[in-house]
Amino acid sequence: MLPERRQGWTQEARVAGHKVYLRTGEYPDGTLGEVFIDIAKEGATLKGVLGCFAIAVSKGLQYGVPLEEFVDTFTFQTFEPRGMVEGHENIKMSNSIIDYVFRALGLEYLNRTDIVQVPPKKVKKAALTEDVQVVQKTEPVTPVQKTEPVTPVQKTEVEQSTQAVANSVDTVQEVLGDMMGDAPACDDCGHITVRNGSCYKCLNCGNSLGCS
């Protein structure tokens, strides 16, 4: 039931030069509950017919007839006066006063942008909007492999192994240094030879030279 004091709006426009006032009454949730249509400087008959028509539409809305039914039925109804519309930013032409009224109601309460000549840039508050779920892409997280802590015993073993390798390398270099002496280069591959008895032996290709 409509409250005693209710919200609504009034739209003043001209249809083919005839001034038309469209007024609405709304339920507390903002849905349309009643319509008033008034025109200026016209005969009593047309004003009376439009007033009775608005009452019939209002009764239908209050008894559960969907506004969509009225909009689909009465838009594009053609009779005089019809033509250019002034005073409405979205409706520029109408086929009749009734056509103009339901174009305006359909846009305001149903967001019917298909029945107006200039669709609004912003969506009406009463329009039904679809929920859009935005899925944010995230980069896959690479699991961090845990490393076991090095114990003092393991650290000591590593240090001992490193020192042993270094000592063995030094020993080999000392031995080769004693063996090489003034050894000549191999005449086959050019590698430095080492002393082998009274001869010189190439450790690269195995060639022997300088034997007497």
Side-chain angles (χ1 to χ4, degrees), residues 111-174:
N111 195 32
R112 287 287 301 273
T113 57
D114 58 312
I115 57 177
V116 298
Q117 288 81 26
V118 183
K121 295 180 180 179
K122 294 182 180 180
V123 179
K124 300 291 183 180
K125 292 182 180 180
L128 298 177
T129 56
E130 297 181 355
D131 294 330
V132 180
Q133 297 179 351
V134 179
V135 180
Q136 297 180 350
K137 295 182 180 181
T138 56
E139 296 295 332
V141 179
T142 303
V144 179
Q145 296 181 353
K146 295 182 178 180
T147 56
E148 296 294 332
V150 179
T151 62
V153 175
Q154 292 174 332
K155 184 176 181 180
T156 302
E157 292 177 353
V158 171
E159 292 177 350
Q160 291 177 350
S161 300
T162 303
Q163 187 62 37
V165 172
N167 293 337
S168 62
V169 171
D170 293 339
T171 302
V172 172
Q173 291 179 347
E174 291 176 359

Side-chain angles (χ1 to χ4, degrees), residues 9-177:
W9 48 266
T10 300
Q11 178 73 50
E12 177 185 341
R14 289 181 179 271
V15 178
H18 299 269
K19 187 174 290 187
V20 179
Y21 296 93
L22 173 61
R23 298 182 178 90
T24 64
E26 299 175 352
Y27 288 100
D29 62 356
T31 56
L32 182 63
E34 61 183 354
V35 179
F36 301 94
I37 306 172
D38 192 15
I39 58 176
K41 297 182 180 180
E42 291 293 341
T45 301
L46 181 57
K47 293 181 67 172
V49 170
L50 288 175
C52 292
F53 174 76
I55 293 173
V57 171
S58 300
K59 289 293 183 180
L61 292 171
Q62 295 167 22
Y63 278 87
V65 178
L67 177 59
E68 292 90 340
E69 291 294 330
F70 288 116
V71 172
D72 291 338
T73 301
F74 293 112
T75 50
F76 306 108
Q77 292 290 329
T78 305
F79 53 86
E80 298 293 339
R82 62 192 179 101
M84 298 290 295
V85 175
E86 302 172 79
H88 198 292
E89 62 180 355
N90 305 112
I91 303 173
K92 301 304 179 183
M93 292 285 294
S94 71
N95 296 343
S96 62
I97 292 177
I98 298 300
D99 175 48
Y100 157 74
V101 166
F102 284 96
R103 287 177 192 260
L105 294 177
L107 175 64
E108 186 70 26
Y109 291 98
L110 303 175
N111 195 32
R112 287 287 301 273
T113 57
D114 58 312
I115 57 177
V116 298
Q117 288 81 26
V118 183
K121 295 180 180 179
K122 294 182 180 180
V123 179
K124 300 291 183 180
K125 292 182 180 180
L128 298 177
T129 56
E130 297 181 355
D131 294 330
V132 180
Q133 297 179 351
V134 179
V135 180
Q136 297 180 350
K137 295 182 180 181
T138 56
E139 296 295 332
V141 179
T142 303
V144 179
Q145 296 181 353
K146 295 182 178 180
T147 56
E148 296 294 332
V150 179
T151 62
V153 175
Q154 292 174 332
K155 184 176 181 180
T156 302
E157 292 177 353
V158 171
E159 292 177 350
Q160 291 177 350
S161 300
T162 303
Q163 187 62 37
V165 172
N167 293 337
S168 62
V169 171
D170 293 339
T171 302
V172 172
Q173 291 179 347
E174 291 176 359
V175 172
L176 290 177

Side-chain angles (χ1 to χ4, degrees), residues 189-212:
C189 66
H191 196 272
I192 297 299
T193 59
V194 296
R195 188 179 295 277
N196 184 23
S198 59
C199 301
Y200 295 98
K201 183 178 181 180
C202 179
L203 298 178
N204 184 47
C205 64
N207 182 35
S208 297
L209 67 157
C211 298
S212 57

